[in-house]
PDB file of all heavy atoms in Angstrom:
ATOM      1  N   VAL K 162       2.890-177.187 142.351  1.00 98.00           N
ATOM      2  CA  VAL K 162       3.751-177.194 143.534  1.00 98.00           C
ATOM      3  C   VAL K 162       3.075-178.005 144.623  1.00 98.00           C
ATOM      4  O   VAL K 162       1.867-177.843 144.880  1.00 98.00           O
ATOM      5  CB  VAL K 162       4.106-175.775 144.015  1.00 98.00           C
ATOM      6  CG1 VAL K 162       5.083-175.103 143.054  1.00 98.00           C
ATOM      7  CG2 VAL K 162       2.867-174.899 144.181  1.00 98.00           C
ATOM      8  N   GLY K 163       3.839-178.889 145.262  1.00 98.00           N
ATOM      9  CA  GLY K 163       3.259-179.861 146.165  1.00 98.00           C
ATOM     10  C   GLY K 163       2.585-179.281 147.390  1.00 98.00           C
ATOM     11  O   GLY K 163       1.682-179.943 147.934  1.00 98.00           O
ATOM     12  N   TYR K 164       2.972-178.102 147.834  1.00 98.00           N
ATOM     13  CA  TYR K 164       2.334-177.521 149.010  1.00 98.00           C
ATOM     14  C   TYR K 164       0.947-176.983 148.687  1.00 98.00           C
ATOM     15  O   TYR K 164       0.179-176.659 149.596  1.00 98.00           O
ATOM     16  CB  TYR K 164       3.180-176.433 149.637  1.00 98.00           C
ATOM     17  CG  TYR K 164       3.318-175.151 148.841  1.00 98.00           C
ATOM     18  CD1 TYR K 164       2.307-174.190 148.851  1.00 98.00           C
ATOM     19  CD2 TYR K 164       4.447-174.883 148.076  1.00 98.00           C
ATOM     20  CE1 TYR K 164       2.409-172.998 148.133  1.00 98.00           C
ATOM     21  CE2 TYR K 164       4.574-173.716 147.340  1.00 98.00           C
ATOM     22  CZ  TYR K 164       3.554-172.793 147.367  1.00 98.00           C
ATOM     23  OH  TYR K 164       3.652-171.628 146.655  1.00 98.00           O
ATOM     24  N   ASP K 165       0.609-176.888 147.405  1.00 98.00           N
ATOM     25  CA  ASP K 165      -0.727-176.411 146.989  1.00 98.00           C
ATOM     26  C   ASP K 165      -1.323-177.491 146.071  1.00 98.00           C
ATOM     27  O   ASP K 165      -1.437-177.327 144.893  1.00 98.00           O
ATOM     28  CB  ASP K 165      -0.570-175.083 146.222  1.00 98.00           C
ATOM     29  CG  ASP K 165      -1.913-174.376 146.016  1.00 98.00           C
ATOM     30  OD1 ASP K 165      -2.896-174.748 146.658  1.00 98.00           O
ATOM     31  OD2 ASP K 165      -1.954-173.429 145.188  1.00 98.00           O
ATOM     32  N   PRO K 166      -1.714-178.629 146.684  1.00 97.00           N
ATOM     33  CA  PRO K 166      -2.022-179.813 145.890  1.00 97.00           C
ATOM     34  C   PRO K 166      -3.218-179.632 144.966  1.00 97.00           C
ATOM     35  O   PRO K 166      -4.200-178.982 145.314  1.00 97.00           O
ATOM     36  CB  PRO K 166      -2.311-180.879 146.947  1.00 97.00           C
ATOM     37  CG  PRO K 166      -2.627-180.130 148.208  1.00 97.00           C
ATOM     38  CD  PRO K 166      -1.838-178.874 148.115  1.00 97.00           C
ATOM     39  N   ASN K 167      -3.065-180.230 143.769  1.00 97.00           N
ATOM     40  CA  ASN K 167      -4.138-180.289 142.769  1.00 97.00           C
ATOM     41  C   ASN K 167      -4.558-178.930 142.240  1.00 97.00           C
ATOM     42  O   ASN K 167      -5.680-178.773 141.741  1.00 97.00           O
ATOM     43  CB  ASN K 167      -5.347-181.057 143.341  1.00 97.00           C
ATOM     44  CG  ASN K 167      -4.993-182.465 143.722  1.00 97.00           C
ATOM     45  OD1 ASN K 167      -4.312-183.176 142.975  1.00 97.00           O
ATOM     46  ND2 ASN K 167      -5.430-182.901 144.887  1.00 97.00           N
ATOM     47  N   VAL K 168      -3.666-177.991 142.301  1.00 98.00           N
ATOM     48  CA  VAL K 168      -3.867-176.668 141.637  1.00 98.00           C
ATOM     49  C   VAL K 168      -2.836-176.584 140.526  1.00 98.00           C
ATOM     50  O   VAL K 168      -1.618-176.662 140.773  1.00 98.00           O
ATOM     51  CB  VAL K 168      -3.709-175.484 142.615  1.00 98.00           C
ATOM     52  CG1 VAL K 168      -3.804-174.167 141.872  1.00 98.00           C
ATOM     53  CG2 VAL K 168      -4.753-175.575 143.715  1.00 98.00           C
ATOM     54  N   VAL K 169      -3.315-176.450 139.291  1.00 98.00           N
ATOM     55  CA  VAL K 169      -2.459-176.534 138.123  1.00 98.00           C
ATOM     56  C   VAL K 169      -2.356-175.169 137.444  1.00 98.00           C
ATOM     57  O   VAL K 169      -3.345-174.443 137.370  1.00 98.00           O
ATOM     58  CB  VAL K 169      -2.995-177.596 137.137  1.00 98.00           C
ATOM     59  CG1 VAL K 169      -2.183-177.614 135.855  1.00 98.00           C
ATOM     60  CG2 VAL K 169      -3.004-178.961 137.783  1.00 98.00           C
ATOM     61  N   HIS K 170      -1.166-174.877 136.934  1.00 98.00           N
ATOM     62  CA  HIS K 170      -0.901-173.554 136.354  1.00 98.00           C
ATOM     63  C   HIS K 170      -0.415-173.714 134.905  1.00 98.00           C
ATOM     64  O   HIS K 170       0.387-174.601 134.603  1.00 98.00           O
ATOM     65  CB  HIS K 170       0.206-172.818 137.139  1.00 98.00           C
ATOM     66  CG  HIS K 170      -0.070-172.671 138.591  1.00 98.00           C
ATOM     67  ND1 HIS K 170      -0.343-171.465 139.180  1.00 98.00           N
ATOM     68  CD2 HIS K 170      -0.093-173.594 139.602  1.00 98.00           C
ATOM     69  CE1 HIS K 170      -0.541-171.634 140.486  1.00 98.00           C
ATOM     70  NE2 HIS K 170      -0.399-172.921 140.761  1.00 98.00           N
ATOM     71  N   ALA K 171      -0.870-172.819 134.043  1.00 98.00           N
ATOM     72  CA  ALA K 171      -0.305-172.642 132.695  1.00 98.00           C
ATOM     73  C   ALA K 171       0.114-171.183 132.576  1.00 98.00           C
ATOM     74  O   ALA K 171      -0.681-170.282 132.954  1.00 98.00           O
ATOM     75  CB  ALA K 171      -1.297-173.000 131.611  1.00 98.00           C
ATOM     76  N   THR K 172       1.304-170.921 132.059  1.00 98.00           N
ATOM     77  CA  THR K 172       1.846-169.573 132.138  1.00 98.00           C
ATOM     78  C   THR K 172       2.748-169.298 130.933  1.00 98.00           C
ATOM     79  O   THR K 172       3.345-170.226 130.388  1.00 98.00           O
ATOM     80  CB  THR K 172       2.679-169.386 133.423  1.00 98.00           C
ATOM     81  OG1 THR K 172       1.932-169.829 134.542  1.00 98.00           O
ATOM     82  CG2 THR K 172       3.109-167.930 133.638  1.00 98.00           C
TER      83      THR K 172
END
Side-chain angles (χ1 to χ4, degrees):
V162 287
Y164 70 80
D165 193 13
N167 299 316
V168 176
V169 176
H170 305 249
T172 309

